[in-house]
Amino acid sequence: MTREGVRALILAEAANPEWVSVPLVGWSLASALREQTNAHIVTQIRNRDAFLRAGLIEGEDFTAIDTEAVASPAWKLTQALRLGQGVGWTIVTAINSLTYPRFEKKVWQVFGDRVKAGEFDVVHRVTPLSPTAVSHIAKKVEEAGVPFVVGPLNGGIPWPPGFAEVQKQEREWLSSIRWIYRLQPGRRTYLANTAHFFAGSRYTQSELPEPHRSRSTYIPENAIDPDRFTQRVSDDGSGPLKISFIGRMVPYKGPDVLLEAAEPYLRDGRLALHYIGDGPLLENLKARAQDSGTEDHVTFHGWMEHRQVQDIASSCPVMALPSIREFGGGVVLEAMALGAVPIVADYGGPGELVDDTVGFKIPVKDRPQLVSDLRTCLGEVLSQRDTLAEMGQRGRMRVEEQFTWAAKAAQMVAIYKSLAKRQAS
């Protein structure tokens, strides 16, 4: 399919429509950019089959770069160093950042001459999302007279001071020396030769060195595909107020904080919790519900397919995510797309997506205070139950207007055009 407009080379090393987290972000954004530009996507070979199943044509729509000789051993090393499944994410990011240059080297071998020949108006590195990953082709692209842009960059939010035990449980020892990434060879050259940075969070934008921050635009990391969120929250006001928790059952996401905070309202029958997801805390949560006598009002659904998640989430007028270190908060946007009112910890990505017109934010100090403040908030939500539908409607409209992948891509394409025009003048 031939598209008109900006000719973009999209580097999305991690992009896969069949996975979650960063690969799904990479795929969703790259796909949205393809719809609005004449784009060619470059991804890693592991994603090739999924691209083909999605209907893309290899060589025409995308190119798969084989770096398995480096990527496969690095993945095995990562699993060994993490000391547990689903923990130690800073280690994953660090090793990925060290192996990424191999991908870019091969990209330049394949596309360098075409970039220098002026076949592309912009080169955009969509993934890695981490601001710690240096790009070694930024200078080459700039020297070819083509703008090089990166993002959305996100990550690196410090652990809140009052949650040292949670940091330990998450095996996040490396995050305390994360600052070392600033000493990487080539970082200054990369920053100086990048024409524009898309920052996925305000914190990440603030981390950009002052001389380069003016060349950045804040565009939240996550977005939604409206076609995937077709159901709507409904609540007739009878029975207990249903609240969903959607995510991995791990310490930093706070499923235990929610359960403890909700206990008085669960016992008196005013609240019902629906947990969707799996993880190491699941059995402890079940035991806590039983021991506290609240098990009749707490349902653990476990891991579910995406369409099944909607079935449960759309029956819950409220979604709670007391996560103390959430970079993006895509689940918050997904809940809002259904018309659910979010309750979030005011730290990181979710706190930037929610304000008091569409949801509730809880300050993050330490665990006891988080439980106390969340309990107070739940009481306020119960007292305002008749206003939740209106809040949910406002949230849904905001997501549809500002937080779709198409809306995000449109913002980026506007920057593309501005950079290309400046380069040509």
Side-chain angles (χ1 to χ4, degrees):
M1 179 178 178
T2 301
R3 294 174 175 83
E4 300 298 329
V6 179
R7 299 167 301 168
L9 184 65
I10 308 295
L11 310 186
E13 188 266 354
N16 196 306
E18 299 171 3
W19 296 352
V20 295
S21 191
V22 172
L24 185 57
V25 171
W27 164 263
S28 300
L29 180 53
S31 298
L33 289 168
R34 272 190 75 244
E35 292 298 319
Q36 300 186 33
T37 65
N38 184 1
H40 188 86
I41 304 173
V42 190
T43 192
Q44 210 272 353
I45 194 72
R46 73 177 78 91
N47 305 310
R48 177 180 179 272
D49 290 345
F51 270 55
L52 294 172
R53 285 191 289 269
L56 274 67
I57 301 172
E58 188 168 12
E60 180 179 328
D61 299 322
F62 78 99
T63 297
I65 299 291
D66 188 353
T67 57
E68 283 301 288
V70 172
S72 182
W75 182 83
K76 293 176 182 177
L77 176 62
T78 298
Q79 301 314 302
L81 293 178
R82 292 176 75 178
L83 302 177
Q85 184 66 30
V87 295
W89 289 103
T90 303
I91 294 173
V92 177
T93 301
I95 293 179
N96 286 346
S97 294
L98 293 175
T99 60
Y100 176 71
R102 177 66 174 172
F103 175 78
E104 276 198 354
K105 181 178 181 180
K106 287 205 166 190
V107 167
W108 192 252
Q109 289 172 352
V110 176
F111 288 95
D113 288 343
R114 295 176 62 182
V115 172
K116 289 186 282 188
E119 289 189 30
F120 301 99
D121 300 309
V122 64
V123 176
H124 181 180
R125 191 195 85 183
V126 170
T127 65
L129 302 183
S130 172
T132 65
V134 168
S135 176
H136 293 285
I137 66 171
K139 184 177 181 180
K140 295 177 181 179
V141 175
E142 173 65 22
E143 288 175 342
V146 177
F148 183 80
V149 303
V150 299
L153 298 176
N154 202 5
I157 299 171
W159 281 88
F163 292 85
E165 183 59 31
V166 176
Q167 182 179 357
K168 182 179 178 181
Q169 291 174 324
E170 294 287 348
R171 310 285 200 274
E172 281 292 334
W173 57 271
L174 190 61
S175 61
S176 60
I177 56 171
R178 178 181 174 274
W179 58 268
I180 289 176
Y181 84 89
R182 298 172 186 168
L183 306 179
Q184 288 182 86
R187 175 171 161 77
R188 289 185 179 181
T189 301
Y190 151 63
L191 292 172
N193 289 279
T194 297
H196 204 82
F197 302 89
F198 296 116
S201 71
R202 295 291 187 189
Y203 177 83
T204 302
Q205 187 175 38
S206 74
E207 264 204 325
L208 285 170
E210 183 63 40
H212 310 294
R213 205 172 302 155
S214 61
R215 303 196 311 279
S216 68
T217 301
Y218 166 62
I219 301 179
E221 170 191 327
N222 293 103
I224 64 107
D225 177 356
D227 293 337
R228 298 181 66 193
F229 296 89
T230 56
Q231 300 189 42
R232 296 289 177 264
V233 166
S234 61
D235 178 31
D236 62 8
S238 64
L241 176 65
K242 296 180 180 180
I243 298 179
S244 67
F245 174 98
I246 307 170
R248 292 184 300 123
M249 305 300 161
V250 293
Y252 82 88
K253 287 186 178 286
D256 54 322
V257 171
L258 174 60
L259 183 57
E260 185 175 344
E263 281 175 350
Y265 310 115
L266 295 170
R267 290 195 191 96
D268 66 21
R270 286 191 286 166
L271 281 187
L273 295 183
H274 288 264
Y275 283 92
I276 304 171
D278 202 351
L281 289 185
L282 184 57
E283 294 307 315
N284 289 341
L285 291 168
K286 291 178 178 179
R288 170 93 191 207
Q290 187 171 23
D291 292 344
S292 63
T294 60
E295 70 270 24
D296 289 344
H297 296 286
V298 183
T299 304
F300 297 97
H301 297 275
W303 182 88
M304 305 180 76
E305 292 281 358
H306 186 271
R307 55 182 171 75
Q308 296 175 308
V309 172
Q310 280 197 66
D311 292 339
I312 304 301
S314 62
S315 71
C316 301
V318 177
M319 190 281 295
L321 183 70
S323 177
I324 60 166
R325 194 170 180 257
E326 199 77 24
F327 297 145
V331 70
V332 176
L333 295 179
E334 293 177 356
M336 290 169 65
L338 298 173
V341 175
I343 301 174
V344 302
D346 190 10
Y347 194 79
E352 296 175 355
L353 300 174
V354 175
D355 61 30
D356 59 8
T357 67
V358 299
F360 301 85
K361 297 196 287 189
I362 312 298
V364 175
K365 297 176 182 177
D366 56 31
R367 191 185 186 284
Q369 190 64 51
L370 184 61
V371 171
S372 176
D373 289 342
L374 179 54
R375 183 172 292 164
T376 300
C377 180
L378 291 173
E380 293 174 357
V381 170
L382 283 166
S383 69
Q384 301 175 39
R385 184 169 180 175
D386 59 344
T387 69
L388 294 179
E390 184 180 349
M391 292 182 72
Q393 173 71 3
R394 285 197 296 266
R396 186 169 64 82
M397 292 176 62
R398 179 178 298 180
V399 168
E400 291 176 352
E401 292 171 0
Q402 302 177 24
F403 294 109
T404 65
W405 290 111
K408 176 185 288 190
Q411 288 180 271
M412 293 181 171
V413 171
I415 298 292
Y416 289 177
K417 292 178 179 178
S418 175
L419 292 172
K421 183 176 181 181
R422 195 181 311 160
Q423 199 83 22
S425 62

